[in-house]
């Protein structure tokens, strides 16, 4: 929903010449999305105070995880970003409860741990 995030996404799609294979949607989670996809990228708000969100980030993650399987093709992958300014354990627990096969990557940078969770739809 953030206009700056949308502009950044559009620029990255252009920069990597993916205009013919990437669909960008401005949507409150999946409210304005239809169809199923091979890949879904989610860069949800992570830190309530920083993003000044109306819905707590943990609730946003739960809503995303409860709906994302409906939009992933069989064998599809959703990528969910996170960083250590907010606790990662509730995210891990929610991922396990949602029943995804999860691959986790992390990297230390500028005093934080940055996470990428790949959620595989069996």
């Amino acid at each position: 929903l953030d206009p700056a995030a949308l502009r950044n996404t559009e620029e990255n799609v252009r920069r990597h010449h993916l205009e013919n294979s990437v669909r960008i949607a401005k949507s409150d989670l999946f409210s304005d999305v239809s169809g199923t996809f091979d890949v879904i990228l989610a860069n949800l708000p992570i830190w309530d105070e920083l993003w000044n969100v109306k819905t707590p980030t943990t609730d946003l993650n739960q809503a995303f995880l409860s709906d994302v399987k409906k939009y992933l093709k069989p064998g599809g992958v959703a990528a969910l970003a996170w960083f250590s300014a907010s606790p990662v354990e509730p995210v891990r627990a929610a991922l396990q409860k949602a029943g995804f096969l999860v691959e986790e990557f992390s990297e230390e940078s500028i005093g934080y741990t940055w996470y990428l969770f790949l959620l595989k739809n069996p």
Side-chain angles (χ1 to χ4, degrees):
L1 293 176
D2 183 322
L6 285 169
R7 285 190 304 274
N8 181 264
T9 301
E10 291 165 350
E11 175 61 28
N12 279 320
V13 167
R14 277 192 302 279
R15 199 176 275 186
H16 296 285
H17 310 288
L18 297 171
E19 296 89 346
N20 295 325
S21 58
V22 172
R23 178 177 153 215
I24 301 168
K26 179 180 178 180
S27 179
D28 187 355
L29 293 178
F30 295 102
S31 64
D32 295 318
V33 174
S34 61
T36 57
F37 305 90
D38 296 310
V39 178
I40 296 174
L41 305 175
N43 190 13
L44 305 176
I46 296 168
W47 192 355
D48 291 352
E49 294 79 18
L50 179 62
W51 273 268
N52 194 23
V53 294
K54 295 176 187 169
T55 305
T57 55
T58 52
D59 293 348
L60 285 171
N61 275 314
Q62 289 289 7
F64 173 79
L65 291 173
S66 68
D67 288 345
V68 69
K69 279 187 181 179
K70 298 175 201 171
Y71 298 93
L72 268 180
K73 290 181 179 178
V77 176
L80 177 65
W82 199 257
F83 83 117
S84 61
S86 290
V88 71
E89 288 308 321
V91 175
R92 287 183 179 131
L95 291 169
Q96 184 175 19
K97 185 177 177 182
F100 284 100
L101 301 172
V102 179
E103 200 170 344
E104 179 180 329
F105 301 89
S106 64
E107 178 179 306
E108 300 289 327
S109 178
I110 62 170
Y112 293 100
T113 304
W114 302 83
Y115 299 93
L116 176 65
F117 298 97
L118 294 182
L119 321 176
K120 299 177 183 179
N121 194 15

